[in-house]
Amino acid sequence: MRTINATVFVSLDGVMQAPGGPQEDPTGGFQHEGWAVPHFDEAVGGVMGKLFERPFDLLLGRRTYDIFAAHWPYAKDDPIGPLFDGVTKYVATHKPESLTWQNTTWLGEDVPASLRELKQGDGPDLLIQGSSQLIQQLLQHDLIDRIQLIVMPVVLGSGKKLFGSGTMPAALKLTDSLVTPNGVIIATYGRAGEVETGDFGLENPSEAELERRRGLAEMERKLPGR
C-alpha cells in the first residue's frame, strides 16, 4: 500500500504560496514570492535531501506541475533535475493533452477516486510538493497520510493558505521535529484518529456561565439562514 506525503513550506500565518522565487505564482496580487529563500539553510537542505533519498513518485497540482516542468528538466547541474525527470509525475488537471513532461500521468476526472486506487497498489510513496489547491482537495477527502511542515519565521498577511475552510477535522501526532539555526521549524505529523475534546469548566456551571450560553444560543438562532 502506498502513502501520500506532503512537504510544505509555510509561513507562521499559514501561507504556502510561491516560496521559491519571483514570478512563481503572483495570482491574487501576491507580492512576496520567494519568501522562503532567505531562510533556507544547510539544515533545511539536509531535510529536503533526505526526503528524496527513498523511492517516490510526485503528486502535483497543475500550477506546480507547470512551474516544475519549466525548471527541472533544464536544471542539469542540480541532481534534483534528473531525479524529477525520471520519477512518475501524477498530475491533477483539466487539460491532460498539454502534459508534455516525460513520465507524466494524468489523474483523470475524479482525482480522489484515482488516488484511492493508487494508494491500494504497489509502488513508491506519493510525494506532494507545492500544489496548494490539490492539497485542499485531498484534505477535504482525508487522503493525506503524512504532512511535513517547514515553517519559516515570517508572517505574510495574505496568500494561499495551507489549511482552508473545507479541511476535514483530524487529530495528528508529531513524529519528528527540528529547529534550524535560522529559526525554521520542521515538524512532521502523522494521523492520530478523530479530534478529541475535553472540558476545563466547572463541574457545576455558575448561573453567569449558563446565562452566557443562553446568550450565545440566541445569537446563533438569529443568524441569517438559521
Side-chain angles (χ1 to χ4, degrees):
M1 183 173 179
R2 309 169 77 172
T3 62
I4 295 178
N5 305 320
T7 294
V8 183
F9 291 100
V10 64
S11 68
L12 283 171
D13 55 336
V15 175
M16 62 175 294
Q17 184 172 351
Q23 303 305 312
E24 185 178 311
D25 183 9
T27 55
F30 189 66
Q31 298 180 355
H32 301 290
E33 297 158 286
W35 52 269
V37 177
H39 309 284
F40 197 101
D41 56 19
E42 184 177 345
V44 175
V47 169
M48 296 304 294
K50 187 176 180 180
L51 187 67
F52 301 137
E53 285 179 353
R54 299 183 186 180
F56 67 92
D57 288 334
L58 285 172
L59 177 55
L60 304 172
R62 183 55 196 254
R63 190 177 297 276
T64 298
Y65 167 85
D66 286 341
I67 293 169
F68 280 19
H71 175 77
W72 288 118
Y74 310 97
K76 303 300 184 181
D77 296 331
D78 189 324
I80 300 299
L83 180 62
F84 279 11
D85 253 353
V87 302
T88 300
K89 279 77 66 176
Y90 293 97
V91 182
T93 179
H94 296 297
K95 297 181 178 179
E97 69 280 359
S98 59
L99 298 173
T100 58
W101 192 5
Q102 66 177 6
N103 301 320
T104 295
T105 298
W106 180 43
L107 283 170
E109 297 288 351
D110 190 338
V111 171
S114 295
L115 288 176
R116 289 190 184 97
E117 183 176 349
L118 271 176
K119 289 183 68 173
Q120 294 301 318
D122 296 326
D125 289 341
L126 301 164
L127 178 60
I128 304 174
Q129 297 277 281
S131 309
S132 60
Q133 293 183 357
L134 176 61
I135 284 180
Q136 295 301 313
Q137 185 178 15
L138 300 192
L139 287 172
Q140 291 173 16
H141 290 272
D142 195 26
L143 282 168
I144 296 179
D145 299 287
R146 188 191 72 134
I147 186 162
Q148 183 177 54
L149 304 182
I150 303 179
V151 185
M152 301 297 183
V154 60
V155 175
L156 298 174
S158 64
K160 298 175 182 178
K161 295 294 184 74
L162 170 58
F163 296 109
S165 59
T167 302
M168 179 178 292
L172 301 175
K173 60 181 177 181
L174 183 69
T175 59
D176 194 17
S177 64
L178 172 70
V179 180
T180 79
N182 281 353
V184 179
I185 300 171
I186 302 171
T188 304
Y189 296 91
R191 295 186 184 189
E194 301 288 334
V195 175
E196 296 182 3
T197 63
D199 189 354
F200 285 125
L202 298 173
E203 183 176 351
N204 297 306
S206 66
E207 184 56 40
E209 169 62 14
L210 294 174
E211 181 61 27
R212 184 190 69 84
R213 296 179 188 179
R214 286 191 288 268
L216 287 175
E218 182 64 16
M219 289 176 59
E220 285 289 313
R221 188 184 66 80
K222 292 181 178 179
L223 286 174
R226 297 297 179 92

